[in-house]
Amino acid sequence: MPQGDPGEGTSAPVTSLTEPLGDGSREPTPGDGPTEKCGVVGVSLADRDAARPLYYSLYALQHRGQDSAGIATHDGFQQHSHVEMGLVGDAFSQSDLDGLAGSAGIGHVRYPTAGGVNACCAQPFSVSFKSGALGLAHNGNLVNADEIRDELAGVGHAFTSQGDTEVIAHDLARNLLESDLIRAVKRTMSRIHGSYSLTVMHDDTVLGVRDPRGNRPLCIGELEDGYVIASESAAIDTLDGDLVRDVRPGELVVLESDGSGFDSYRLFEEETSAHCFFEHVYFARPDSVIDDTLVYEARRDLGRALWEEAGVDTGVVMPVPDSGRAFASGYADAAAEDDAGVEFAEGLMKNRYVGRTFIMPTQDERERAVRLKLNPIRSTVEGRTVTLIDDSIVRGTTSTQLVQLLRDAGAEEVHVRIGAPAIVAPCYMGIDMATREELIAADRSVEEVREAIGADSLSYLSTDAVAGALASSKSDLCLGCVTGEYPYDIDGEPTDRDVQRPAVGEAPADD
């Protein structure tokens, strides 16, 4: 691997090297859609407390996780933290924010994919040890966390959760006892395998780390008095900042503790990346820029490609709100350019005061909640042929209900178009998607899925069209959930490239 090289910062690294490094949204769809990953943020400011900027940033990232929220700050002498279950607005009071002193800090919103739904797995995760205080916030999922946890437990590390974030924190803390900051991060990265974008705080130094495949998004922003690292650029916009660039795969970014700049170390570099295509399809806010692409425009391009591949001339094109709106807009524009004469209309109205339907205990209640949450506009639908556009079909519950809603409202035909390929396999990289047994397309043909949801026709977007719309090669995308082949070494699953997880217990990468 290439030597880690300071770059693009404005001053020397916080922790100097004594020798070269060597080769080193949206709301869930009712009852059906994948559930969000997590959101992370870190800030370093010149002379004001970081708590409120972090709080505002977490609000901007709330769509990425709604089960817990937390902030950890450092005032130059000690670390402060506040973590609670629930939404950002419920997790922090005025007094909570007042107690988070210091101009450096990190924050996290969580939807659990490893470790369960409870306070012990909420983040940022904090560790105090003789080399200082460490806080860590993680978006993603490790596939070798159990192996590393067992090894660390065997040498005396005590764990309080089953979460993979605590594994990263303990491993990094151990390496910090033996190495400087940059080298310690590199050693931990050489051992952990899977998807991760991290914001880390070591005393009052804030870091950002992205895994060597770049699976989860992470970007850098500049503020008037400091710098910010966040899962999405929408958080930077909220702080009136400017997007600088994405954190590169395998890169460590170190923010200066006085907010004056940042330093960059490319610690690992792979030939191909594995950006999660579902960020652009589903998870990210439409106004975010991820890997140099505005999510809203990517979705419109996916919609245009959907018309080109599987357009059907119907009387009206309508989105499933809010997930299908940008796709439907691009689809309708492409249809108009072909003189298809279809009308774009909002035919389903959303009741925004209905809660999260997937927590309802019975299937009957979940199905009823769809009717509470989405109501058709009869005058738009009655007596017409309809194309209904959404981003995905996972279990099929919502799609079945929506097709029936439109038929009940008088639609003569209902054609369903999906702005992504069929989801046929689970995600191991941080999306709580579903098991193969729950995925409607895992063991059904497109025609069988069409019949199951009751549509007159059904088409998905191809993987080639996805890559084209994202201006990417398929080899640089993670397509595991739609191909069943993964960019990481996962037990019992095939890979789509030459990859092997690190052997736990071996010596770390050369310094």
Side-chain angles (χ1 to χ4, degrees):
M1 300 297 173
Q3 177 174 321
D5 230 12
E8 300 188 35
T10 58
S11 60
V14 173
T15 301
S16 61
L17 298 175
T18 56
E19 57 186 80
L21 276 173
D23 53 29
S25 194
R26 67 175 172 96
E27 229 174 41
T29 300
D32 189 26
T35 43
E36 273 76 6
K37 299 182 288 293
C38 300
V40 301
V41 62
V43 300
S44 185
L45 305 174
D47 57 4
R48 62 180 169 125
D49 283 345
R52 279 171 181 75
L54 289 166
Y55 175 71
Y56 300 143
S57 297
L58 294 183
Y59 252 116
L61 299 173
Q62 183 74 89
H63 60 288
R64 299 187 68 87
Q66 297 91 44
D67 281 288
S68 68
I71 291 174
T73 62
H74 201 285
D75 62 9
F77 299 97
Q78 62 179 323
Q79 181 173 291
H80 311 271
S81 66
H82 180 83
V83 179
E84 290 285 349
M85 303 302 292
L87 300 173
V88 174
D90 299 324
F92 297 95
S93 66
Q94 182 74 39
S95 61
D96 294 329
L97 294 175
D98 290 342
L100 293 168
S103 60
I106 60 175
H108 188 267
V109 287
R110 181 173 190 260
Y111 186 88
T113 56
V117 185
N118 51 58
C120 72
C121 291
Q123 298 178 39
F125 191 87
S126 297
V127 177
S128 294
F129 60 113
K130 72 177 184 178
S131 289
L134 185 68
L136 193 144
H138 175 206
N139 171 207
N141 201 51
L142 301 187
V143 298
N144 67 341
D146 290 343
E147 301 163 42
I148 298 176
R149 181 187 294 107
D150 290 345
E151 181 198 65
L152 293 174
V155 294
H157 288 254
F159 289 86
T160 61
S161 75
Q162 292 301 308
D164 51 358
T165 305
E166 186 176 5
V167 172
I168 302 173
H170 276 268
D171 195 79
L172 181 55
R174 180 177 70 165
N175 289 327
L176 282 167
L177 294 175
E178 303 172 353
S179 303
D180 62 44
L181 184 58
I182 312 303
R183 202 172 273 109
V185 170
K186 184 186 174 187
R187 286 185 171 186
T188 292
M189 290 177 69
S190 72
R191 285 167 45 82
I192 60 179
H193 186 65
S195 169
Y196 55 90
S197 281
L198 311 173
T199 52
V200 183
M201 186 170 61
H202 180 228
D203 292 334
D204 60 353
T205 299
V206 173
L207 325 172
V209 183
R210 197 174 182 191
D211 85 70
R213 300 283 180 185
N215 185 254
R216 293 283 160 253
L218 197 64
C219 58
I220 309 164
E222 183 177 5
L223 310 178
E224 284 189 359
D225 59 347
Y227 282 82
V228 57
I229 301 169
S231 291
E232 294 185 34
S233 64
I236 299 168
D237 296 337
T238 299
L239 302 181
D240 294 323
D242 295 318
L243 175 64
V244 175
R245 62 171 175 82
D246 293 295
V247 176
R248 300 182 181 101
E251 183 181 19
L252 163 66
V253 173
V254 182
L255 302 187
E256 298 292 348
S257 57
D258 62 359
S260 62
F262 67 90
D263 287 286
S264 160
Y265 301 84
R266 193 76 178 267
L267 300 182
F268 294 90
E269 190 168 1
E270 301 286 354
E271 290 185 4
T272 58
S273 61
H275 301 312
C276 173
F277 87 97
F278 229 59
E279 289 284 352
H280 287 95
V281 167
Y282 182 96
F283 283 113
R285 279 178 46 160
D287 53 333
S288 285
V289 176
I290 292 181
D291 295 319
D292 298 321
T293 303
L294 178 65
V295 172
Y296 177 76
E297 289 300 333
R299 290 176 185 168
R300 277 182 47 83
D301 289 343
L302 290 165
R304 295 178 68 87
L306 187 58
W307 167 262
E308 293 166 3
E309 282 196 340
V312 56
D313 195 351
T314 59
V316 62
V317 173
M318 63 179 61
V320 175
D322 295 309
S323 56
R325 186 165 287 120
F327 298 89
S329 172
Y331 180 99
D333 281 356
E337 291 172 7
D338 286 347
D339 296 322
V342 299
E343 174 192 349
F344 175 84
E346 296 281 357
L348 291 166
M349 289 297 103
K350 187 173 184 178
N351 179 354
R352 300 183 182 279
Y353 297 95
V354 176
R356 298 171 65 190
T357 56
F358 64 81
I359 66 172
M360 294 184 175
T362 68
Q363 181 67 15
D364 180 67
E365 287 178 297
R366 286 192 291 273
E367 292 177 0
R368 176 60 55 188
V370 173
R371 292 180 177 266
L372 287 171
K373 194 163 191 175
L374 293 170
N375 191 43
I377 299 175
R378 185 173 292 272
S379 61
T380 302
V381 175
E382 191 170 17
R384 307 183 74 183
T385 57
V386 175
T387 300
L388 182 67
I389 297 186
D390 204 358
D391 56 15
S392 59
I393 300 176
V394 183
R395 294 173 179 86
T397 304
T398 297
S399 299
T400 303
Q401 289 290 303
L402 292 181
V403 170
Q404 189 59 50
L405 276 178
L406 295 175
R407 292 202 189 281
D408 291 346
E412 291 186 354
E413 297 176 3
V414 181
H415 301 267
V416 176
R417 295 293 181 267
I418 302 299
I423 298 172
V424 299
C427 175
Y428 297 94
M429 308 335 334
I431 303 174
D432 185 15
M433 190 166 295
T435 64
R436 278 188 172 85
E437 291 73 22
E438 296 173 300
L439 294 169
I440 190 171
D443 57 359
R444 291 180 175 90
S445 67
V446 174
E447 175 59 21
E448 288 171 332
V449 175
R450 180 206 65 76
E451 184 175 355
I453 67 174
D456 289 283
S457 72
L458 167 67
S459 289
Y460 298 92
L461 196 60
S462 70
T463 55
D464 287 336
V466 168
L470 299 182
S472 180
S473 166
K474 287 196 291 185
S475 63
D476 284 322
L477 296 174
C478 179
L479 297 164
C481 62
V482 298
T483 65
E485 297 181 340
Y486 299 89
Y488 300 92
D489 185 3
I490 300 166
D491 290 337
E493 299 286 4
T495 61
D496 62 5
R497 64 199 71 195
D498 184 14
V499 61
Q500 186 173 0
R501 71 173 69 181
V504 173
E506 289 186 358
D510 293 339
D511 293 338

